[in-house]
Every structure is written in structure tokens, then in C-alpha cells.
Amino acid sequence: MIFKQFYLGCLAHASYLIGDESSGVAAVVDPQRDIDKYLAFAADEHLRIEHVFLTHLHADFIAGHLEFRDRVGARIYLGAPAQPEYEAVPLSDGTTLELGTVRIRALATPGHTPESVSLEVFDLTKSAEHPYAVLTGDTLFIGDVGRPDLLAAPGSSAGELALLLYDSLRTKLLTLPDETLVYPAHGAGSLCGRALSQATVSTIGEQRRENYALQPMTRDAFVAMVTADQPDAPAYFAYDAMMNTREHPTLDQTLARESRALTLEELLKGQADGAQVLDTREPVEFAAAHLRGSVNVGLGGQYATWAGTILDRGRPIIVVAEPGAEGESALRLGRIGFDHVVGYLDGGLRSADSRPDLIAVTDRLSPDVVQARLSGDPAPVMLDVRAPGERAQGAIAGSLHIPLNHLVERVGELPHDRPIIVHCAGGYRSSIAASLLQRDGVSTVSELAGGLSAWRAVGLPIEIDPLTA
């Protein structure tokens, strides 16, 4: 058996290739939309990818099942309750696929979604009774379980799915041998769970002992626990789950349409007509100079997640990037189904060198300067855009808290007669927030350089916010 995990850090997404050396046949599980890496690995191992499995209809990315179908003729497999527009083999409990000396067997494990399955993987040269591994999708993570509240299927409540999840975990996955390896579809950083580990593999025995959600408890206690305090899901999650059921253009088709170099004049016309200008450079470069009205989401952070959270899926996107990074900027948007990039600024921001009237800057202030300004009259508004759980661990006294994912809808809560200084944990999200505020007409915006980490590092005071503690 040939077994390979692929991990995509920016989406905290794990996918898998399972191959049989003797027959040369392979299957891919939960692939990302850009599939070249799987094809290259298969070629190196002299394998043919003939099968592609989705453990469920993913909400946080567009899977590469149609790409595999169209490129290499692979058959698609989905949990039986799914009703995709394309042809797929329905996976019921016990459905088995033999790849020579490798067996893949489906376990129906609804809960995260109604059609969720887990996949037992057997190396038949070692044992036909005890699985080598189980690919758990978003049903069981390392240190957590899948959230039941994303509601990828209309008509299913979080409580109903949580009950299904309770049974799937206890009557299916926890009956496997302790030594069975656990390979989930996500790791730390994913919004598909609440407390995911940095680890990307574990065992059933380890999770039985250490995973808080697998400890003995009643069904009601489990439902209450897994439906409470889940992080907000970005609006694009529902869109992606729907897209994964539909026929849609492949990524290659989309990127071929999007790779158009635009002049500055074309960008300005597009912007005037309603296009969103997305600057994907790093926050420091963006702060030093950027096009007025552009929004910054740097490629160096959780780019796809935040772009999907703050951008309007119904409006065209024009990319401003470091020369050479335009393709990566569009590709990573394509991974979450944002296929409405209309082009990129040819030459990047240098194209605007002769138009200083189009350029804006964002002041990035040191902690000492921020502290001094907070003592002034009138004092600026200190805006904290971190998540509630982060703020509960400590905040700058007197700061206003609006999480970044709610900033656009709550911008009216900000006073208009005082400067605003934005901060997050380290400076990535504050750059996004400052760019949104500037785009929406808030002119006196600056950032705390280095975020709360820099503030703490120089020994400035932190208080516990009684509203979030």
C-alpha cells in the first residue's frame, strides 16, 4: 500500500492518496481543487488515479472531484444521502472498493453533515480484519469533533445532527481497534471545529483517552456541548457546500479566464463600475502605499478564509499583487470558489507611480506612541478586531471590541469625531480592518504595529475584559 497525506496550511486542510503498488491503481480522498500535486505524486509512484472520494460536501473549500473526473476520468464517490448534479457512486455503510491488495470501506458517520462518511483503509497484505487507518473527514478531528451547526443540508437542525454525530462517534468510530490511525480532513485553524490540534494524525486509542468530546457523557450533554460557543462560519461556507454538489467550471477553466493583465485605467474603470480591488501584498507593504479604496488581505496569512469572509461574492475582483504573485492570488481564491476575478493590475502598484493622487498610506504606530496618544485629549478609539476568545485572555483598557468578521456590518458603531487605532494579535487582521475602514470613508485610521503581541512585549498593561471573561 502507498499512503500519502497532503496538507494545505492556509486552509488547514488534509487530503489523501491511497494506492496499490501491485495494480497501479489509486484513490484520492477530499482533494483540493488544484490537483497537479496529486497527479505528480501518482506519476512518480507509477499509479493511476481512478477514484476520488469526498467524505462529505465540504463547506470551507471547493473540492477537486470534477477536476479529477475531467482530467483522468476518475469516478466520484459520495455519501448516499448526497444528491449531486454530477454522476457519483453512493456510499452506504459497508460499501467497499478493492484496489488490488488495498481495501477502502465506507462507514456512514452522519453528524457534521447528513451525508458524512468515514473511510476505513485496509492493507490486505497485513490484515483484512483490522484497518490500518480511518479517514474521518470532519466527523472526528485530532482533539475535537466536527461541528453540527454548519447546516450544509437544508432542513437539518444542529441539534438533530449533533445526535447523529453522538451515535456515529460511539457506535462506529470508537468500535475500531485502538491502534487504528486517525487521519482527519482538517487541523488547527479550521473553522469546521472548535479546538483542533496542530497534529495531523493520531490513533483511535489516543482520541478515546484524550479527546474531550469522546469522554463518557449523555446524549443531551453531548448535544449541549457541541452546539455551544462555535465560531462564526463565514458566509461563503454555505455557498461552497452548495457548489460541491453542482456541476461547475474546473479551476483550470476559471484561471484561464482570470489571468488577464489590466492597465491602471482599466482597473479604475472597473472599480468605478463596482469591482472590488484586492491587494494581496503583506501588511507592511500595503501600509506604506496602496490604491485608495483597495482592501488588503495578505497572502502570508489565512488569505482564502479572510478574503472569503470580507469580500462580496457577487462583485468582480481585481487583484493587486507583487509581480509574480498574481496567479497564486487568484488560485487561492479559486480554492474557495471565488471565481469572479476579472484580472490583475499589470506591474503591480508600480503602475501607479505617476499617479500619487491615487495612493493612500496607513500609519503603523509603535506601542509607546499608541499609549501616548491614548492619554491625549481627545483620545483615539482603540479598536480590537480579534475574536471573542482572544479578547477574553486580555485586552487594552478602554478598547472597543468588534471582531473583524463583523466589522463591515457594525462600522456604524464607531464614532466619527475621533481617530481610530486598530489592533489584532500580530498585525495581519488589523491591516484588513484598517483597509476596510478606509475604503468605507473612515479617514483617520492607523494601526498598532505588531498588535497586542508587541504591546505585551514592551510591558504595557493588559486587563481582563469582564464582558468576555
Side-chain angles (χ1 to χ4, degrees), residues 23 104 108 125 130-131 150 158 164 179 275 278 320 372 380 398-399 424 431:
S23 66
I104 299 173
T125 66
H130 300 294
L150 293 181
L164 293 175
E179 64 272 17
L278 173 64
V320 177
S399 58
C424 61
S431 183

Side-chain angles (χ1 to χ4, degrees), residues 122-141:
F122 295 84
D123 182 348
L124 299 179
T125 66
K126 296 180 179 178
S127 174
E129 304 298 326
H130 300 294
Y132 163 79
V134 59
L135 309 186
T136 54
D138 287 13
T139 299
L140 174 62
F141 297 123

Side-chain angles (χ1 to χ4, degrees), residues 101-123:
T101 60
V102 175
R103 175 182 298 152
I104 299 173
R105 185 168 67 193
L107 296 175
T109 51
H112 176 65
T113 64
E115 79 288 342
S116 289
V117 296
S118 298
L119 300 172
E120 294 178 285
V121 180
F122 295 84
D123 182 348

Side-chain angles (χ1 to χ4, degrees), residues 104-409:
I104 299 173
R105 185 168 67 193
L107 296 175
T109 51
H112 176 65
T113 64
E115 79 288 342
S116 289
V117 296
S118 298
L119 300 172
E120 294 178 285
V121 180
F122 295 84
D123 182 348
L124 299 179
T125 66
K126 296 180 179 178
S127 174
E129 304 298 326
H130 300 294
Y132 163 79
V134 59
L135 309 186
T136 54
D138 287 13
T139 299
L140 174 62
F141 297 123
I142 310 305
D144 203 356
V145 294
R147 56 191 295 183
D149 64 318
L150 293 181
L151 303 183
S156 299
S157 73
E160 290 168 340
L161 288 174
L163 288 171
L164 293 175
L165 182 62
Y166 180 91
D167 291 337
S168 293
L169 293 166
R170 284 159 173 78
T171 66
K172 299 288 181 63
L173 294 177
L174 286 182
T175 65
L176 297 177
D178 278 354
E179 64 272 17
T180 305
L181 295 173
V182 174
Y183 285 100
H186 289 293
S190 169
L191 293 174
C192 294
R194 180 169 49 191
L196 283 70
S197 169
Q198 295 284 350
T200 60
V201 61
S202 182
T203 65
I204 288 292
E206 196 170 68
Q207 291 309 296
R208 194 192 310 277
R209 294 188 302 272
E210 300 177 5
N211 191 315
Y212 75 96
L214 301 185
Q215 303 314 301
M217 67 184 79
T218 66
R219 290 162 63 88
D220 288 345
F222 178 86
V223 170
M225 180 179 65
V226 299
T227 56
D229 301 322
Q230 291 286 2
D232 291 340
Y236 75 88
F237 272 30
Y239 173 78
D240 280 13
M242 175 190 67
M243 283 291 289
N244 278 320
T245 71
R246 293 186 172 178
E247 282 284 353
H248 56 258
T250 63
L251 186 61
D252 287 345
Q253 294 168 329
T254 297
L255 294 179
R257 187 185 71 244
E258 295 176 349
S259 57
R260 179 175 169 235
L262 304 177
T263 65
L264 179 62
E265 289 70 27
E266 288 175 314
L267 179 147
L268 294 174
K269 183 181 184 305
Q271 189 177 30
D273 290 341
Q276 306 164 97
V277 178
L278 173 64
D279 192 320
T280 68
R281 296 174 301 145
E282 294 310 299
V284 172
E285 284 73 29
F286 180 86
H290 56 268
L291 289 174
R292 295 185 184 278
S294 60
V295 173
N296 178 229
V297 185
L299 282 172
Q302 286 187 303
Y303 166 77
T305 297
W306 281 114
T309 298
I310 66 168
L311 295 178
D312 185 341
R313 199 176 58 251
R315 293 167 55 201
I317 297 170
I318 299 174
V319 168
V320 177
E322 289 289 348
E326 303 91 352
E328 180 73 9
S329 300
L331 165 66
R332 289 168 63 179
L333 290 176
R335 286 174 178 159
I336 61 166
F338 273 55
D339 292 349
H340 47 291
V341 174
V342 295
Y344 64 90
L345 180 60
D346 193 16
L349 196 64
R350 289 183 178 275
S351 299
D353 283 351
S354 63
R355 294 291 307 274
D357 57 306
L358 299 176
I359 301 301
V361 300
T362 307
D363 290 334
R364 291 171 64 85
L365 309 175
S366 70
D368 291 337
V369 169
V370 171
Q371 185 189 42
R373 293 194 181 182
L374 290 174
S375 301
D377 186 20
V381 176
M382 196 71 193
L383 175 61
D384 181 351
V385 297
R386 296 174 301 153
E390 295 173 280
R391 186 170 172 88
Q393 303 303 311
I396 296 173
S399 58
L400 174 65
H401 181 226
I402 302 179
L404 175 56
N405 57 316
H406 293 293
L407 182 58
V408 171
E409 69 199 60

